Amino acid sequence: MSKITAAITGVSGYVPEYVLTNKELETLVETNDEWITSRTGIKERRILKGENMGTSKIAVPAVKELLRKTNTRPEEVDMLICATTTPDMVFPATANIITAEVGAVNAFGYDLQAACSGFLFALATGSKFVESGQYKKVVIVGADKMSSIVDYTDRSTCIIFGDGGGCVMLEPNTEGLGVQDQVLKSDGTGAPYLHMKAGGSRRPATKETLEAREHYAYQEGQQVFKFAVKGMADVAAEVMERNNLTGDDVAWLVPHQANKRIIEATANRMGLSNDKVMLNIHKYGNTTSGTIPLCLWEYESQMKKGDNIILAAFGGGFTWGSIFLKWAYDTKQD
Ligand code: UT7
């Protein structure tokens, strides 16, 4: 019997309607469109507004659309992993909320927390379940409502983040398509540069933690930038080298969208021209676990069966990694 690989057989995404522009941010903090655009490449981001609106409200419409596109009945889903840093609640897992809301009554699932590398880590994890031969339909979600942990008085952080997410369906493939290889890394010594101080078991919420604004993402941008530029390029180069790929062999780089300058540095290192780099940071900013599936969703029609695709991310933790996959289908027009 030929070897089973885990192939992406469908992709979907969702972004909330509200558009937070650089102009509007100028009314909240001392900043300007020129600075944000030239330092990050971001023009606007989406924000999920309303009471009781958690990350699942981004994931559920994306998963429903994925099931429709892939002609999958909800009961057929075996497993759902939700990569998120902003779960609806500390527990239960957002994955449980999603599976209940879409009617995936036979699926088991859990959340996976690896900050901006979450989607890559979840994709690598889910692919192993498919490769084992035991699971046939595995949904991988990457979604975040970053506006729930962003301090809109901190101008160096609030300008980069937005809300949104997407998902992919993983299914067994015997043509050798799908996930081929991955390089995944984490290094906890990076924690001081990007973290949320309170709200976990170390510093549960108190009046003091609230007053000290400790329930927001804390980032030392310049430090993170330095590690990200090197880390993301290193792993992308490593996965290419291991698989004897040159820039010419790669059809697309799908980079985490944190800063356009980090993306450009990675593409340069891989020897890729700009037209092979998926980019939507100008519209959505940094949606943490959401960036890579949102790119795949937007560029789906441009990918061809057999294309060599490199995914790459860097984020809090630190966590970073790169996945090499062969795209498994030509888009059906629907
Ligand atoms: O998603 C996963 C992990 N995160 C990342 O990968 C993010 C990595 N970091 C970055 O993308 C960048 O560091 C930022 C976009 C967050 C910041 O850009 P930067 O070029 O590193 O700016 P900086 O923090 O070094 O600040 C440069 C100057 C400072 O002024 P002085 O001290 O030179 O006078 C800041 O106060 O820019 C100032 N500044 C701003 N000015 C206008 C910082 N934020 C702003 C702002 N508007 N929003």
Side-chain angles (χ1 to χ4, degrees), residues 253-267:
L253 165 66
V254 194
H256 171 53
Q257 314 274 309
N259 188 315
K260 194 160 176 240
R261 291 180 290 143
I262 300 173
I263 296 171
E264 285 165 355
T266 305

Side-chain angles (χ1 to χ4, degrees), residues 73-108:
R73 283 179 293 111
E75 315 84 69
E76 290 180 280
V77 177
D78 296 312
M79 177 186 194
L80 183 146
I81 306 178
C82 179
T84 188
T85 298
T86 51
D88 279 33
M89 297 179 255
V90 172
F91 73 91
T94 304
N96 289 36
I97 297 166
I98 300 167
T99 49
E101 287 202 21
V102 304
V105 289
N106 295 314
F108 82 104

Side-chain angles (χ1 to χ4, degrees), residues 31 35 39 116 155-156 219 221-222 256 258-259 261 286 314:
T31 190
W35 192 96
R39 303 306 289 170
C116 298
R155 68 174 182 171
S156 64
Q219 175 171 262
Q222 249 184 38
H256 171 53
N259 188 315
R261 291 180 290 143
N286 181 353
F314 187 95

Side-chain angles (χ1 to χ4, degrees), residues 142-162:
D144 269 299
K145 182 189 173 186
M146 292 306 292
S147 62
S148 65
I149 57 165
V150 162
D151 182 351
Y152 287 97
T153 65
D154 172 4
R155 68 174 182 171
S156 64
T157 306
C158 73
I159 51 134
I160 70 171
F161 290 108

